[in-house]
Amino acid sequence: MPDFQLQLLMNSIELYKELPKTNCGACGHKTCMALAIAVVKGSATLEACPHLDKNTLDKLSSNVTKLDVTETMFNKLKEETAKLDLKKAASAVGAVVTDSGIVIRCLGKDYTVRYDGSVDTSGSVSLWIKILLLIYIKTSDASEMTNDWVSFDRLRMGIVKIGAFKKECEQPLTEMFVKDYRASTAAIKSIGAVEIEGQPSSVAWKLYLLPKIPILILYWQGDDEFQSEIKVLFDSTAERFLDIESLVFLLRELTITLGEISA
């Protein structure tokens, strides 16, 4: 287990010992341990627990040691990437070799992964995008895409994360298109999506999130009988280039990007 994961686990266990351990779910997490991990990661606060009085909250809040998991994860990946032969890896990930590093297109934007593992682009760069790019380089093999389209739950271990994928990816995308179909359509086309025919949905787009990770976005426009819905399909090789959890984060970044463009 990497050091930052061990530190996260130990800090979370110490906090968990002070929680009520009812696993009531009122905080929005399934278990008290899940809340403890989220608090240590900085993605939740202790105030979410209705069973903690003010004195306990004050005591625990002052003693919690939060761990910046994303920054720690990026620094670890950066070190590992610096040891790789990026020129050799370029063909496997669909990147272009330059004097300063390799250029990878992600969500319609070019990113340069430098030979020291740092990531640059024009404008600001999301830390999660940096992390996902380095995981992509580390994970990818020389597999060819199959054009065999499958739902998220049919990918290896996809069934484990299907709830999070629907909640954090497909549902927000559906809401976005229902709210403003024209703006959302313009946004998705601006990052390279191409409308395709022959799908069972009202409209469908093919989009390359990364050079080796294309998706199909199927949109059913609602009527008096059925609600609007978006389904995202992946090439069956997707998990050879990113693990399941990283795919969820990548689609979340897609949702954020489209929201920013269409705003």
Side-chain angles (χ1 to χ4, degrees):
M1 180 182 293
D3 291 343
F4 74 88
Q5 289 184 355
L6 181 59
Q7 185 181 353
L8 172 63
L9 178 61
M10 295 305 296
N11 291 351
S12 302
I13 289 174
E14 290 304 312
L15 177 57
Y16 171 72
K17 292 177 181 177
E18 305 297 327
L19 295 180
K21 307 178 186 66
T22 58
N23 297 330
C24 67
C27 64
H29 298 270
K30 291 184 178 180
T31 65
C32 292
M33 186 63 191
L35 173 62
I37 292 173
V39 170
V40 172
K41 288 170 65 177
S43 59
T45 63
L46 286 169
E47 284 75 10
C49 177
H51 303 293
L52 297 177
D53 58 44
K54 186 178 185 305
N55 289 337
T56 304
L57 279 172
D58 291 343
K59 173 189 171 184
L60 292 179
S61 296
S62 63
N63 292 330
V64 169
T65 303
K66 293 185 179 179
L67 180 64
D68 190 342
V69 176
T70 51
E71 192 70 45
T72 305
M73 185 184 300
F74 172 70
N75 289 333
K76 181 69 174 177
L77 286 165
K78 182 180 176 182
E79 291 177 7
E80 294 174 351
T81 303
K83 299 175 184 177
L84 298 176
D85 184 344
L86 289 184
K87 291 182 179 180
K88 185 177 180 180
S91 61
V93 300
V96 176
V97 177
T98 68
D99 292 338
S100 55
I102 61 175
V103 177
I104 303 176
R105 194 158 185 81
C106 178
L107 300 179
K109 195 172 184 179
D110 288 334
Y111 293 85
T112 298
V113 178
R114 299 190 179 278
Y115 295 115
D116 65 355
S118 59
V119 181
D120 297 325
T121 190
S122 57
S124 60
V125 187
S126 158
L127 182 56
W128 271 113
I129 288 291
K130 292 182 180 182
I131 289 171
L132 292 168
L133 285 168
L134 298 188
I135 293 175
Y136 175 65
I137 293 170
K138 180 181 177 182
T139 305
S140 297
D141 61 23
S143 299
E144 293 297 327
M145 292 169 285
T146 63
N147 283 320
D148 176 21
W149 299 102
V150 299
S151 57
F152 183 82
D153 57 342
R154 285 186 57 196
L155 296 172
R156 185 176 56 190
M157 300 300 293
I159 193 67
V160 177
K161 290 289 184 178
I162 187 61
F165 181 74
K166 288 180 178 294
K167 180 180 178 181
E168 299 181 32
C169 306
E170 289 181 334
Q171 290 175 10
L173 284 173
T174 300
E175 292 167 5
M176 191 181 302
F177 274 79
V178 169
K179 181 180 179 181
D180 194 332
Y181 178 79
R182 180 175 295 181
S184 298
T185 299
I188 200 168
K189 288 182 177 179
S190 74
I191 62 172
V194 176
E195 190 170 332
I196 62 172
E197 299 180 350
Q199 299 299 318
S201 52
S202 306
V203 63
W205 299 273
K206 184 177 181 179
L207 172 65
Y208 283 84
L209 304 178
L210 285 161
K212 294 296 184 77
I213 304 184
I215 59 171
L216 284 186
I217 300 176
L218 309 181
Y219 178 58
W220 284 266
Q221 292 178 314
D223 53 29
D224 293 338
E225 188 175 358
F226 298 102
Q227 292 184 334
S228 298
E229 181 183 17
I230 275 183
K231 294 288 292 182
V232 178
L233 303 183
F234 295 82
D235 189 274
S236 61
T237 60
E239 75 266 17
R240 298 183 185 178
F241 300 99
L242 277 180
D243 61 89
I244 284 297
E245 190 162 5
S246 294
L247 286 172
V248 173
F249 279 107
L250 182 58
L251 264 294
R252 183 190 295 172
E253 290 294 324
L254 169 64
T255 303
I256 293 171
T257 298
L258 293 179
E260 292 173 345
I261 295 173
S262 60

